[in-house]
Amino acid sequence: MGILIDGLRANGCEVTEINHPLELSTAQRVDILRKPWKLFGFAWDLLGLWRALRRDARAWMRRHGRPDAVLVGYMGHFDVLLARRLFRGIPIILDHMIFAGDTAKDRGAHGLRVRLLNRLDRMAIGSATLTVLDTQEHQLMCRPGDQTMVIPVGAPAEWYAAGSAEAARVAAGETARTNDIVFYGLYTPLQGAPVIAKAARELARRGLTPHFTLIGKGQDYAKVRTITHGLDNVEFREWVEPEDLPALVSSHAISLGIFSTTSKGLHVVPNKVYQSMAAGCAVITSDTAPQRRVLGDGVVYVKPGDPKALADAIEGLLGDPEALKVAQVKALEASRRFSSDIITKPLYQWILHSMR
């Protein structure tokens, strides 16, 4: 959402934010999608936030008049219903990067829960004038009559800044570029973290022990800890402050994307891939249709769900410093196509067209 706002501003839009956040982390919100009965637990808080949003939106319109468009943020399945009522006759843009039903299914839900969440997705998309999605695969999950637009997730400016700062330190001789490897995420099934753990184990069997930094905690965390038990080269960091993450990632030679074979894993290009490319890391990720289509030769691809293939790719880069450098340069070059001003230009043009 922040990237869309930054990009629209860079393209000349005046964007006013009206925000009363639900104090839940992304992991907690996704857990609610997997366990929809938890909706009742925060329904009262949600209604209170809606009252505040309605009050502020009406006050803004009294001062400024009707907006040209309204952008409803990521995971706005409920907020878009409110926006539809508050801003009648005004184009509503929904940032729909997550399908509730698809995400819940990926986390192990099934049956009635998934059907209810699929209906929630339909209600949200049906309430929007334009639905923004991150891949063509997600676009195909919409209905033919839905007005949609594909916008890559991209990377915020701080990731590019972190990559530039790291490159400057290396060029000045203040630090040396390591051969370290980093992964960060919520350990969800689509990320395939156990594949990374098995690849680390396979590399150790070959006598190769590069340092792995695995950041985060989630569903597959315990399994990964079990697989890597006894590997002294694997470091776990359950939490890193968001403002510190770009610099930490940029200090690594290789960043790892996603490696699962789940349906959702085959539909996405994860934000960590865009961010890691902007940070100047070589990136290894699964060879899926959306990633290959969007990223081109900016990353190194391996077969989804194949620890040996991942181990081979890591060994190939670490065993050939020139290949590693080329992979880092290609990643950074490719990342320039995904800055906020570039990826939001079609959305800016859509807004201009809707004003005519």
Side-chain angles (χ1 to χ4, degrees):
M1 180 64 175
I3 295 176
L4 294 182
I5 292 173
D6 291 345
L8 289 173
R9 285 174 174 157
N11 278 290
C13 288
E14 180 181 340
V15 182
T16 300
E17 297 179 58
I18 300 176
N19 185 29
H20 289 276
L22 187 64
E23 298 297 336
L24 293 174
S25 68
T26 299
Q28 289 171 312
R29 294 181 186 216
V30 171
D31 187 53
I32 289 170
L33 297 182
R34 190 167 69 93
K35 302 172 182 175
W37 60 85
K38 289 189 174 184
L39 290 172
F40 299 104
F42 78 96
W44 183 255
D45 290 339
L46 181 64
L47 289 174
L49 295 174
W50 273 10
R51 286 192 290 269
L53 288 170
R54 182 179 61 184
R55 179 197 65 223
D56 290 356
R58 288 176 173 173
W60 187 91
M61 285 192 286
R62 284 194 296 270
R63 293 192 302 270
H64 303 283
R66 288 160 60 87
D68 298 310
V70 174
L71 176 62
V72 178
Y74 163 75
M75 296 193 77
H77 293 72
F78 295 103
D79 293 338
V80 71
L81 307 179
L82 176 65
R84 177 73 176 267
R85 292 183 61 85
L86 285 177
F87 300 99
R88 296 182 185 276
I90 298 170
I92 306 294
I93 304 164
L94 174 63
D95 179 12
H96 197 66
M97 298 300 179
I98 281 186
F99 282 79
D102 189 46
T103 299
K105 187 177 179 180
D106 183 69
R107 303 296 178 89
H110 54 83
L112 179 61
R113 285 179 289 175
V114 173
R115 290 195 295 272
L116 290 173
L117 291 170
N118 284 337
R119 179 164 294 187
L120 175 61
D121 284 319
R122 281 307 317 160
M123 289 174 59
I125 294 169
S127 297
T129 313
L130 175 71
T131 301
V132 173
L133 306 130
D134 59 335
T135 65
Q136 291 180 21
E137 283 71 14
H138 280 154
Q139 187 179 40
L140 290 172
M141 293 171 65
C142 296
R143 293 177 180 173
D146 297 330
Q147 190 170 1
T148 60
M149 178 182 294
V150 174
I151 297 180
V153 174
E158 54 263 31
W159 288 87
Y160 293 92
S164 296
E166 177 68 16
R169 286 192 294 270
V170 172
E174 298 174 9
T175 186
R177 197 68 188 260
T178 71
N179 283 336
D180 294 352
I181 301 160
V182 65
F183 163 84
Y184 59 98
L186 296 175
Y187 286 79
T188 59
L190 84 86
Q191 294 173 350
V195 176
I196 297 171
K198 291 175 184 177
R201 175 70 63 185
E202 170 64 19
L203 287 168
R205 188 188 65 79
R206 301 177 188 180
L208 301 173
T209 55
H211 185 267
F212 285 80
T213 304
L214 306 185
I215 302 168
K217 191 174 183 181
Q219 186 172 340
D220 285 338
Y221 180 76
K223 185 175 182 180
V224 169
R225 292 297 301 247
T226 298
I227 294 169
T228 58
H229 180 72
L231 294 181
D232 295 335
N233 60 312
V234 179
E235 175 189 0
F236 289 90
R237 299 184 63 171
E238 295 183 1
W239 178 254
V240 171
E241 293 296 333
E243 60 269 23
D244 297 330
L245 188 60
L248 177 60
V249 171
S250 70
S251 69
H252 291 73
I254 298 171
S255 184
L256 303 178
I258 60 173
F259 303 96
S260 80
T261 58
T262 67
S263 174
K264 186 172 179 62
L266 302 178
H267 285 169
V268 303
V269 182
N271 59 359
K272 73 178 70 182
V273 168
Y274 294 108
Q275 293 164 353
S276 299
M277 293 165 67
C281 301
V283 177
I284 305 174
T285 193
S286 55
D287 191 356
T288 62
Q291 293 195 95
R292 187 171 283 277
R293 181 193 315 116
V294 174
L295 305 174
D297 66 353
V299 302
V300 176
Y301 299 100
V302 297
K303 181 181 177 182
D306 190 335
K308 183 177 182 301
L310 177 55
D312 289 343
I314 294 172
E315 182 177 7
L317 290 179
L318 296 185
D320 186 343
E322 183 58 29
L324 177 59
K325 178 64 177 176
V326 168
Q328 291 166 343
V329 169
K330 285 186 174 181
L332 185 57
E333 289 177 347
S335 75
R336 296 192 177 104
R337 304 198 306 268
F338 306 112
S339 60
S340 62
D341 59 323
I342 293 175
I343 64 175
T344 55
K345 188 169 289 294
L347 181 58
Y348 167 68
Q349 293 170 341
W350 184 91
I351 294 171
L352 288 182
H353 181 76
S354 71
M355 294 166 56
R356 295 172 185 167

